[in-house]
């Protein structure tokens, strides 16, 4: 009907194929093409049944998110309007069979549910993941899904946004048949059977047998809202999805659809939706590096080695083995090596127990990891990642040694969290092969990978690191070589400001609760205790104190007391045997005494001030990082914080959040804090300029699209 939708014939069955690669999104032209194809097939007397299928690797995987973005920012037509298409399909007098492979997501599943029948390949997946973008299913999905799968399943799928496999979808009533082997052939056979059986063919919207009663539904809705509040803290869309499903249970179909549309409009106009769409595109933008074009060749990574089998070395070994890369895990200390391997085994056993993968998969992965004390075999490695103690002299010594052993094409990476990559590279004869690969703990779980570009790092090495991140299913963000790179550099002032707040009168638990309620995954003192007070203490020792800057007074005392955090059972909090944090009166007294001795006036501190001081100080540092060229885009900083630091996605990341508050407002507050609290609040010049010009970080990104380089 147009090149996006084509029609072919298998004798009396019309086969409508959607061809909009890569994921057959519902871009302009696709719904129109489908509607016209169905109409033509219905009119064609020689057609008895219709099969709708996706070309390429998937069925329709959802809406075109660019269109959603336009709708959320008040541009465009408000996204695809599928009502006409869905009615055309459902009202077709000939049976319409949806043939699903790959994924049928969002609008894709909504189209499928308007068909009279659905068949799928065994490995197909379906879902309504709209909540991840701050909206609800907006093409009658909240009305048809409960009619097909029941109220409880609809609530679960719309609140969680999770994908389900074909077998589960069949058990729920979403699919009529799973087709082993050739999907199209199976779908055509199904279509012939349906045509032979004759109509009327079931219209989803006319069904009510699964809609339950007020009594049976009330607890399901209550549980759904509870699930939303717990798993999607502070988010509006999942709660509103439940509301839309409530409408399905209580109102006639058309009225339910009206209610759904009204809710979608509200969601689209929300800050949360805009922030989540920003986060979606920000994560995809990280791979655009102006001076390292897409065509830059990336080397294949088959064999890797890791130096240091500690916390990070072990986690990185798992991340690599999980992607099928073989790893030599080298340490100097047999006991450390044994401990490292035991931890890996324990982690894998845990996953097998939870059913994440089979024992056979675990055995395969374990077999890929070879622990050893020597450097044997490292000469054939494509990649060596150093993860020894955070000590420059030691790292230099190791890189000098690797330089002697590794083949010329081997990428030499350091997992350092703060140290200078150029200095490390200078201890080799090939600084162009040296790069930072900053993993986050636990390295086999956390999605973020900061890729640190040294002065001499080669473009192919950067391309290789970016490709490796993809292979490991991580989000690789290219950052510059400055102290702490992007993530930790912004984290340090944040941690310190939180400590100043408690010196001035707040408690660690008040600060943590305020941050948690605001949306952070964890409070900052809990983060301190998890990472280890000694780690922070060591960072301070290496980094030193900048003259003229206020110093936190309590952390060093915790270190001296041996309160190193969770690992010693006490830090800012005490920990019970289940690692539950318990506020400790001893800490409250320590803070009070320390503040009194230092002559700090204590006062009641409100939660708003806590949030402003913790978040704005990060934003100010982020602006400095941007100005210095240590991040390519403000949106890259957002991605670092969303993928690695537990920043709430519905706030879009620190820089996006700053835009939503208004840079002018933030700048004025920072100026005020500067007057009241000292030099750590010196406003970043870029922030000042943008605030005075009425700009945003997003507009800055837009204006610098092709012209920036990270260094
Ligand atoms: P760790 O103390 O758990 O492990 C270090 C390991 O290196 C030990 O097993 C030690 O025996 C081994 N080692 C020491 N000298 C060696 C040598 N010459 N050759 C081979 N192995 C040697 O330390 P962790 O926490 O794993 O940190 C490693 C690196 O990763 C550091 O640079 C750290 O800054 C960085 N990092 C740490 C994170 C964390 O959360 N722990 C997060 C991101 C980076």
């Amino acid at each position: 009907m147009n090149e996006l939708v084509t029609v072919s014939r298998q004798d009396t069955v019309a086969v409508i194929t959607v061809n909009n690669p890569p994921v057959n999104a519902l871009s302009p032209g696709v719904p129109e093409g489908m509607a016209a194809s169905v109409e033509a097939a219905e009119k064609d007397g020689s057609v008895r049944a219709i099969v709708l299928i996706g070309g390429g690797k998937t069925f329709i995987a959802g809406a075109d998110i660019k269109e959603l973005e336009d709708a959320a920012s008040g541009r465009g037509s408000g996204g695809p309007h599928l009502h006409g298409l869905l009615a055309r399909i459902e009202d077709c007098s000939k049976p319409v069979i949806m043939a699903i492979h790959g994924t049928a997501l969002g609008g894709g599943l909504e189209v499928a549910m308007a068909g009279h029948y659905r068949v799928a390949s065994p490995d197909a997946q379906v879902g309504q993941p709209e909540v991840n973008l701050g909206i609800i299913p907006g093409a009658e999905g909240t009305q048809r899904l409960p009619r097909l799968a029941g109220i409880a399943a609809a609530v679960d799928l719309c609140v969680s946004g999770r994908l389900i496999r074909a077998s589960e979808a069949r058990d729920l009533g979403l699919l009529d048949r799973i087709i082993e082997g050739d999907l199209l052939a199976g779908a055509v056979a199904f279509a012939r059977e349906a045509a032979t059986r004759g109509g009327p063919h079931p219209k989803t919207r006319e069904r009510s047998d699964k809609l339950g009663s007020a009594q049976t539904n009330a607890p399901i809705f209550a549980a759904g809202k509870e699930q939303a509040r717990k798993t999607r803290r502070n988010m509006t869309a999942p709660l509103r999805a439940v509301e839309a499903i409530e409408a399905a249970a209580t109102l006639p179909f058309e009225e339910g659809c009206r209610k759904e549309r009204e809710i979608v409009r509200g969601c689209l106009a929300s800050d949360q939706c805009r922030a989540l769409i920003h986060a979606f595109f920000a994560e995809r933008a990280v791979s655009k590096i102006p001076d390292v074009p897409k065509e830059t060749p990336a080397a294949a990574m088959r064999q890797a080695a890791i130096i240091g089998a500690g916390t990070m070395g072990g986690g990185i070994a798992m991340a690599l083995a999980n992607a099928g890369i073989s790893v030599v895990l080298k340490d100097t200390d047999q006991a450390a090596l044994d401990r490292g391997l035991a931890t890996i085994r324990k982690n894998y056993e845990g996953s097998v127990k939870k059913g994440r993968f089979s024992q056979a998969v675990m055995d395969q992965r374990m077999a890929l990891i070879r622990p050893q004390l020597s450097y044997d075999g490292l000469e054939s490695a494509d990649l060596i990642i150093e993860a020894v103690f955070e000590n420059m002299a030691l790292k230099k010594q190791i890189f000098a040694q690797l330089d002697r052993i590794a083949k010329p094409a081997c990428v030499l990476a350091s997992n350092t969290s703060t140290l200078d990559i150029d200095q490390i590279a200078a201890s080799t004869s090939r600084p162009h092969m040296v790069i930072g690969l900053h993993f986050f703990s636990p390295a086999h779980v956390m999605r973020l990978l900061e890729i640190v570009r040294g002065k001499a790092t080669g473009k192919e090495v950067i391309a290789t690191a970016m490709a490796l991140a993809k292979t490991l299913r991580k989000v690789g963000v290219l950052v510059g070589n400055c102290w702490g790179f992007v993530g930790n550099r912004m984290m340090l002032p944040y941690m310190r400001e939180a400590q100043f707040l408690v010196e001035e009168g707040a408690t660690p638990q008040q600060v943590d609760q305020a941050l948690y309620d605001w949306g952070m995954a964890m409070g900052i003192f809990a983060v301190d205790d998890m990472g280890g007070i000694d780690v922070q203490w060591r960072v301070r020792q290496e980094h030193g104190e900048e003259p003229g800057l206020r110093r936190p007074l309590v952390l060093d005392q915790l270190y001296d007391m041996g309160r190193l955090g969770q690992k010693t059972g006490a830090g800012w909090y005490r920990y019970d045997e289940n690692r539950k944090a318990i506020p400790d009166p001893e800490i409250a007294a320590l803070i009070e005494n320390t503040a009194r001795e230092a002559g700090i006036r204590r006062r009641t501190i409100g939660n708003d001030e806590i949030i402003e001081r913790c978040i704005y100080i990060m934003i100010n540092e982020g602006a400095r990082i941007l100005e210095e060229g240590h991040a390519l885009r403000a949106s890259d900083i957002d991605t670092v914080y969303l993928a690695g630091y537990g920043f709430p996605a519905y706030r879009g990341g620190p820089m996006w959040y700053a835009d939503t508050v208004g840079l002018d407002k933030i700048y004025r507050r920072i100026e005020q804090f500067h007057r009241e609290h000292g030099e750590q609040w010196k406003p970043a010049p870029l922030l000042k300029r943008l605030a005075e010009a009425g700009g945003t970080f997003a507009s800055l990104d837009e204006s610098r699209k092709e012209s920036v380089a990270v260094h």
Side-chain angles (χ1 to χ4, degrees), residues 307-313 330-333 336-337 339 375 386-391 394-395 397-398 414-419 438-441 488 531 535:
I307 315 295
T311 311
M312 294 308 291
K330 184 216 167 329
D331 209 292
T332 36
D333 174 355
L337 205 54
R339 255 197 322 274
Y375 279 103
E386 165 279 312
V388 302
F389 306 128
E390 186 80 339
N391 175 303
L394 176 62
K395 296 208 187 242
Q397 182 199 324
I398 286 176
S414 173
N415 181 50
T416 178
S417 36
T418 55
L419 299 176
H438 183 206
F439 288 83
F440 289 75
S441 184
N488 285 346
V535 174

Side-chain angles (χ1 to χ4, degrees), residues 75 271 274 278 619 622-623 626-627 632-635 637-638 653-667 685-705:
R75 298 187 301 262
D271 280 347
R274 276 190 288 270
H278 162 74
I619 293 167
L626 255 186
E627 179 145 49
L632 273 172
R633 292 163 279 257
S635 68
I637 298 179
D638 288 334
M655 311 315 274
W656 178 266
Y657 174 69
D659 283 354
T660 61
V661 174
L663 297 191
D664 179 47
K665 179 172 170 217
I666 293 202
Y667 174 66
L686 173 65
L687 179 63
K688 179 168 193 271
R689 275 204 310 282
L690 285 174
E692 285 171 353
T696 58
F697 289 116
S699 62
L700 180 75
D701 278 359
E702 193 56 37
S703 69
R704 307 199 308 174
K705 243 178 188 165

Side-chain angles (χ1 to χ4, degrees), residues 9-21:
R9 283 290 289 271
Q10 301 224 354
D11 56 72
T12 57
V13 178
V15 177
I16 301 173
T17 307
V18 180
N19 293 303
N20 185 24

Side-chain angles (χ1 to χ4, degrees), residues 299-475:
M301 298 282 106
R302 291 190 193 91
Q303 283 189 50
I306 296 165
I307 315 295
T311 311
M312 294 308 291
I316 298 168
M318 292 172 70
L320 293 170
N322 295 352
I325 300 171
S326 73
V327 197
V328 167
L329 184 58
K330 184 216 167 329
D331 209 292
T332 36
D333 174 355
Q334 183 65 50
L337 205 54
D338 293 345
R339 255 197 322 274
L341 213 68
T343 308
I344 292 175
R345 184 176 296 281
K346 205 171 109 214
N347 276 325
Y348 277 150
E349 279 167 356
S351 298
V352 172
K353 248 191 223 134
K354 285 188 197 125
R356 292 216 181 99
F357 46 77
S358 66
Q359 181 68 40
V361 169
M362 165 175 166
D363 294 344
Q364 262 168 20
R365 293 180 181 180
M366 285 302 293
L368 284 172
I369 302 174
R370 220 168 61 225
Q372 63 184 46
L373 295 173
S374 72
Y375 279 103
D376 290 353
L378 262 64
E379 63 283 351
S380 53
D382 304 305
L383 164 72
I384 304 180
I385 303 173
E386 165 279 312
V388 302
F389 306 128
E390 186 80 339
N391 175 303
M392 181 55 92
L394 176 62
K395 296 208 187 242
K396 280 181 150 174
Q397 182 199 324
I398 286 176
F399 272 76
Q401 174 81 358
L402 296 177
D403 191 31
R404 285 191 286 277
I405 302 168
K407 65 183 181 188
C410 178
V411 172
L412 301 179
S414 173
N415 181 50
T416 178
S417 36
T418 55
L419 299 176
D420 181 350
I421 291 293
D422 292 335
Q423 265 196 59
I424 296 175
S427 60
T428 72
S429 63
R430 44 174 130 171
H432 63 288
M433 294 306 295
V434 177
I435 196 165
L437 288 182
H438 183 206
F439 288 83
F440 289 75
S441 184
H444 60 295
V445 177
M446 295 295 290
R447 290 175 67 233
L448 178 63
L449 178 65
E450 277 188 332
I451 297 176
V452 189
R453 179 179 201 165
K455 248 200 324 264
T457 308
K459 292 184 180 178
E460 295 187 5
V461 174
I462 295 171
T464 302
M466 295 298 293
L468 175 73
K470 272 221 173 93
T471 308
L472 302 184
R473 294 168 162 237
K474 295 199 184 293
V475 186

Side-chain angles (χ1 to χ4, degrees), residues 540-655:
R540 282 255 304 273
Q541 300 296 308
E542 282 270 338
H543 187 44
E545 284 295 337
E546 283 176 43
L549 277 196
R550 178 174 171 185
R551 293 189 46 172
L553 303 173
V554 180
L555 189 103
D556 288 355
Q557 300 184 62
L558 295 184
Y559 180 80
D560 292 338
M561 291 158 76
R563 294 184 65 123
L564 304 186
Q566 286 195 13
K567 60 178 132 184
T568 57
W572 291 105
Y573 296 96
R574 265 188 313 110
Y575 290 87
D576 67 11
E577 56 290 352
N578 302 318
R579 297 208 164 180
K580 186 174 162 352
I582 303 161
D584 189 345
E586 199 185 327
I587 288 297
L590 176 73
I591 293 169
E592 260 177 55
N593 291 338
T594 306
R596 191 175 337 101
E597 278 166 27
I600 296 169
R601 188 176 66 85
R602 301 211 3 118
R603 62 194 165 91
T604 306
I605 294 183
N607 289 347
D608 288 350
E609 181 179 344
I610 291 174
I611 296 304
E612 286 181 339
R613 284 177 61 184
C614 287
I615 307 296
Y616 291 5
I617 203 152
M618 273 199 270
I619 293 167
N620 199 36
E621 196 64 31
R624 273 203 195 95
I625 289 172
L626 255 186
E627 179 145 49
E628 292 166 15
H630 293 307
L632 273 172
R633 292 163 279 257
S635 68
D636 282 12
I637 298 179
D638 288 334
T639 300
V640 164
Y641 263 78
L642 297 175
Y645 287 83
F647 199 94
Y650 60 82
R651 295 194 190 274
M655 311 315 274

Side-chain angles (χ1 to χ4, degrees), residues 68 106-107 110 128-143 158-159 236-245 256-268 273:
L68 273 183
E110 292 175 300
Q128 299 286 173
E130 284 85 348
V131 278
N132 295 326
L133 293 174
I135 52 174
I136 69 164
E140 306 167 5
T142 61
Q143 308 303 301
C158 292
V159 168
T236 317
L239 288 167
R240 302 227 65 194
V242 178
E243 220 180 288
I245 298 167
C257 290
R258 252 198 304 282
K259 177 82 186 167
E260 180 193 84
R261 277 199 292 279
E262 175 198 312
I263 295 176
V264 171
R265 269 197 300 276
C267 289
L268 276 171
C273 174

